[in-house]
Amino acid sequence: MAVITSLLAGLVFGLGLILSGMADPAKILGFLDLAGHWDPSLALVMVGAIAVGLVAFTAVRKKTKSLLGLDLKLPTTYRMDRRLIGGSLLFGVGWGVAGFCPGPALAALGMGEPRAAVFVAAMLMGMGLFELMERTARLAPGKE
């Protein structure tokens, strides 16, 4: 049941990304082009997403299980460190260069967008590199 519900939620999320224009790199790059022909229409999508997320996270803040009985894994710290800031900068640069972020790239890949395939391949390689670096750091002397 959880897998089917997760699949349906993912499909609805992907459909929302496509309908809102978040899976269109030209739309994203137009939004990020503050000095050129700025397209502010995605700001409404982002404000709506923040509002829904705020309500949802507030509602589940003290819960340990989801409606399906799965463990909830919410952030436990609000600390901003070098890793968070560096990752955020890298995410922003990647978003600005490619016009994709992970969710919309997967939705665009589902639509058969060839540029999304390149982005998803690079994303998977980056995830693999990160995992390799994390494992190496955990195995380093003094980290046991």
Side-chain angles (χ1 to χ4, degrees):
M1 182 64 174
V3 172
I4 293 171
T5 304
S6 298
L7 178 63
L8 290 174
L11 289 173
V12 169
F13 181 65
L15 183 61
L17 291 172
I18 292 168
L19 292 175
S20 67
M22 295 288 289
D24 179 2
K27 186 92 171 164
I28 298 298
L29 295 175
F31 175 72
L32 297 174
D33 187 10
L34 298 174
H37 300 289
W38 185 50
D39 177 4
S41 62
L42 289 183
L44 180 63
V45 174
M46 292 181 180
V47 169
I50 290 169
V52 169
L54 184 64
V55 170
F57 279 100
T58 301
V60 300
R61 178 179 281 169
K62 295 186 178 167
K63 297 186 183 279
T64 58
K65 297 282 184 186
S66 71
L67 293 174
L68 297 173
L70 302 173
D71 290 335
L72 285 174
K73 297 174 184 167
L74 299 175
T76 57
T77 182
Y78 295 97
R79 193 182 79 187
M80 291 180 58
D81 57 12
R82 285 185 0 199
R83 290 172 55 120
L84 177 63
I85 293 170
S88 299
L89 288 172
L90 187 60
F91 177 90
V93 168
W95 195 40
V97 169
F100 286 118
C101 62
L106 292 172
L109 183 64
M111 295 178 358
E113 170 63 50
R115 293 176 292 176
V118 174
F119 180 90
V120 169
M123 179 178 74
L124 292 174
M125 286 190 290
M127 292 168 68
L129 179 62
F130 174 79
E131 183 64 27
L132 181 65
M133 291 170 59
E134 285 291 305
R135 285 185 187 179
T136 302
R138 277 186 292 222
L139 295 176
K143 293 281 184 177
E144 300 171 25

